[in-house]
């Protein structure tokens, strides 16, 4: 049996319930519909759901905001059992493609200092640390710093299609 490749679908208000469910599966304190609804309705916000080739339902998501020449990844997640399978790379590349289409010259994000798998993914696709936010994330055992990461747009090599997480 040949598996279908991961498939991306544009994310919108119609996916609010799915997104809230996925966010809760991906994060210690997931965002609920009350938090996600105004975000999805904000001008410049876009995103994608990703369906795994073996699944019939979304297994990951990304939300980003584009404003003039800047783009920011607001949240990204892949269900725990499918992490390290390339879905994160597909989701990041979907933002890079859309950001470039919208005229962005850079993409930024914040990531928890203790999320080493995500940090490694972002480094592999060309992001670098440009700052820190001390104690930004709340955890049950205390606060964790955030790394602010950025990737500039370049004439060639904008996407990292050859990189897999």
């Amino acid at each position: 049996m040949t598996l279908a490749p991961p498939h991306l679908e544009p994310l919108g208000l119609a996916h609010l319930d799915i997104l809230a469910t996925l966010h809760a599966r991906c994060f210690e304190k997931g965002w609920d519909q009350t938090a996600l609804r105004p975000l999805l309705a904000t001008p410049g916000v876009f995103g994608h759901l990703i369906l795994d080739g073996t699944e019939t339902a979304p297994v990951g998501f990304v939300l980003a905001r584009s404003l003039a020449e800047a783009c920011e990844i607001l949240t990204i997640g892949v269900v725990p059992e499918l992490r390290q399978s390339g879905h994160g790379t597909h989701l990041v590349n979907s933002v890079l493609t859309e950001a470039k289409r919208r005229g962005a010259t850079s993409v930024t994000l914040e990531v928890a200092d203790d999320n080493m798998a995500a940090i490694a993914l972002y480094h592999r696709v060309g992001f670098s640390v440009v700052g820190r936010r001390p104690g930004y994330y709340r955890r049950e055992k205390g606060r964790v710093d955030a790394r602010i990461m950025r990737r500039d747009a370049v004439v060639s090599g904008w996407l990292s299609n050859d990189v897999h997480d």
Side-chain angles (χ1 to χ4, degrees):
M1 176 171 84
T2 303
L3 297 178
H7 171 73
L8 293 169
E9 291 184 10
L11 185 57
L13 279 170
H15 302 103
L16 188 59
D17 189 39
I18 293 167
L19 182 58
T21 299
L22 281 171
H23 211 281
R25 286 187 66 197
C26 293
F27 295 100
E28 188 177 300
K29 293 185 179 184
W31 298 346
D32 61 14
Q33 289 187 23
T34 303
L36 290 165
R37 184 182 314 278
L39 185 59
L40 284 170
T42 302
V45 170
F46 65 93
H48 289 98
L49 295 171
I50 191 166
L51 286 83
D52 184 61
T54 62
E55 300 288 326
T56 58
V59 296
F61 62 89
V62 64
L63 272 179
R65 175 178 41 215
S66 178
L67 181 61
E69 294 179 354
C71 183
E72 177 185 14
I73 295 177
L74 302 169
T75 185
I76 183 170
V78 173
V79 294
E81 62 272 18
L82 291 175
R83 291 181 183 156
Q84 305 283 318
S85 63
H87 297 324
T89 299
H90 286 291
L91 289 165
V92 171
N93 281 338
S94 76
V95 171
L96 296 173
T97 299
E98 182 63 17
K100 185 174 182 182
R101 189 188 72 75
R102 291 174 181 233
T105 58
S106 66
V107 177
T108 60
L109 58 87
E110 293 168 345
V111 61
D113 232 10
D114 61 355
N115 191 344
M116 299 314 292
I119 291 166
L121 163 65
Y122 301 139
H123 278 297
R124 282 194 306 271
V125 296
F127 284 82
S128 59
V129 176
V130 295
R132 298 183 79 73
R133 293 186 191 272
Y136 186 74
Y137 292 101
R138 292 182 186 184
R139 300 281 197 259
E140 285 186 21
K141 297 180 180 179
R143 292 186 170 268
V144 175
D145 291 355
R147 295 182 191 190
I148 303 168
M149 300 184 79
R150 180 176 179 206
R151 176 179 171 156
D152 291 331
V154 293
V155 175
S156 64
W158 174 260
L159 295 180
S160 298
N161 291 324
D162 59 336
V163 177
H164 300 284
D165 63 343

